[in-house]
Amino acid sequence: MKNTQIKRQGDSIPAQARRVFKGKIFEVWQWPQKMYDGSTHIFERLKRPDTAQIIAVVGDKILIQRQKQPDRKRSFTSLPGGRCDDKESPWLTARRELLEETGYESNNWLLWKQHKPVSKIEWTIHTFIARDCILTGKPRLDSGEKIKNKLISFVEFLNLTEDKSFYDPQLVIVLLRARHDARKKIELYNLLFKKHQ
Amino acid sequence: MKNTQIKRQGDSIPAQARRVFKGKIFEVWQWPQKMYDGSTHIFERLKRPDTAQIIAVVGDKILIQRQKQPDRKRSFTSLPGGRCDDKESPWLTARRELLEETGYESNNWLLWKQHKPVSKIEWTIHTFIARDCILTGKPRLDSGEKIKNKLISFVEFLNLTEDKSFYDPQLVIVLLRARHDARKKIELYNLLFKKHQ
């Protein structure tokens, strides 16, 4: 699989840290941190499983989702994706979630971006592009998902910037730049739709 | 204090949740969640103190910071601000942090935006605008801060979109829209610099 722009990562939990709590999703780690005046304070960071999400290209369309979750009041727009299981590589997660949530598969993957959203949490969101997706089955949703998949045009994809329920600010930034810069728009279009095999 | 656009908030921790861990910054809460198929799973969310940050207007300039922290390798660009102490209102935090970190004070405050960055964390970033700031003292930094304050023009402020170390994607989105839409640019300029008293 090809691998383009890897975005800056935040800092990791230092080697001397110890884990003080392990929950269902989050782990809490602490360590003594030397301060600028020579004193020491206990610092704290979290770990959680990474997330893999997919921009799935189907012909000249992009697959997006309207989604509900049992603990969230409002539905929201998202890309297919989910949490990496223990020891599961982000790419394996991406392929598994794409198939489970949408029934689509691809043989043409690109790891597009990696982003760490919160400085105090060791947590990376891996965004993949899955080109030339082919429908091979039906979605198999788990008990915590209500998902409607929808194919949208490139222009509609760019207009996700105006969807207040779309949850990924990093992608909104990329889409806004593409909407306002003809060269960036063509680059994004080619990245998604041009034959790369 | 005036209060304009309050942005959508994420969901809160439900009333039946119980706290299973309390760390230095983060608390971990869990509850039994009914799923769509009638089964029950343990769900988990975090709480952390809110953050207050300030767009400080000094004459026709904006005050920004280059900052280092003892547990982060790289310096980064930020707005003045910090964590709300226990029981401290975000506005009080904003005034305290502005004075401590920069030595500036204002009598012309606006709560501009409130944003919840991560759906699984009960944590709100409150962004204030402090107009007509006046220097009343010297910064008094704590042992975990190395901060250089800098006054920049409105155009330089808009160009924070190109500073890869600037940490606030929500503000980048606002600035990108203003850069590419003359009406939004004027609105933002007036919001910051026009006499509102």
Side-chain angles (χ1 to χ4, degrees), chain B residues 48-151:
Chain B
R48 57 158 288 172
D50 282 357
T51 300
Q53 63 178 9
I54 307 104
I55 301 176
V57 181
V58 182
D60 61 350
K61 298 279 198 286
I62 308 279
L63 190 152
I64 59 151
Q65 307 183 319
R66 283 298 292 181
Q67 187 165 167
K68 277 194 80 146
Q69 288 180 356
D71 62 331
R72 295 176 70 170
K73 284 184 209 110
R74 295 182 203 84
S75 60
F76 57 97
T77 304
S78 64
L79 299 175
R83 200 180 303 157
C84 298
D85 288 338
D86 195 33
K87 307 263 153 82
E88 190 183 45
S89 79
W91 185 27
L92 190 60
T93 307
R95 282 178 294 167
R96 177 178 56 72
E97 290 282 355
L98 183 64
L99 184 60
E100 285 176 9
E101 291 186 349
T102 74
Y104 280 93
E105 291 186 83
S106 166
N107 285 315
N108 188 346
W109 286 85
L110 175 77
L111 174 53
W112 184 39
K113 285 182 188 292
Q114 291 178 299
H115 180 70
K116 203 167 169 259
V118 186
S119 66
K120 288 197 186 306
I121 308 182
E122 206 171 279
W123 168 42
T124 300
I125 299 176
H126 308 260
T127 303
F128 293 86
I129 297 174
R131 301 187 187 110
D132 309 321
C133 287
I134 290 168
L135 195 65
T136 62
K138 283 197 169 160
R140 298 182 305 276
L141 300 181
D142 74 32
S143 59
E145 294 173 323
K146 274 192 181 171
I147 293 175
K148 270 194 194 147
N149 294 305
K150 197 179 157 186
L151 295 176

Side-chain angles (χ1 to χ4, degrees), chain B residues 173-188:
Chain B
I173 289 172
V174 171
L175 297 177
L176 271 177
R177 292 187 192 279
R179 286 184 59 175
H180 293 294
D181 181 326
R183 189 179 52 78
K184 284 186 177 153
K185 190 171 173 174
I186 290 168
E187 274 172 16
L188 183 60

Side-chain angles (χ1 to χ4, degrees), chain A residues 138-185:
Chain A
K138 283 196 168 159
R140 295 184 305 277
L141 300 181
D142 74 32
S143 61
E145 295 173 322
K146 273 192 184 175
I147 293 175
K148 269 193 197 151
N149 294 305
K150 196 178 156 187
L151 295 175
I152 61 173
S153 69
F154 181 62
V155 169
E156 288 169 317
F157 183 59
L158 294 179
N159 287 340
L160 283 181
T161 58
E162 308 313 301
D163 179 342
K164 296 239 187 296
S165 81
F166 186 63
Y167 66 105
D168 183 344
Q170 294 302 326
L171 187 54
V172 168
I173 288 172
V174 171
L175 297 177
L176 271 177
R177 291 186 193 279
R179 286 184 58 175
H180 294 294
D181 181 324
R183 189 180 52 79
K184 282 185 180 156
K185 189 170 174 175

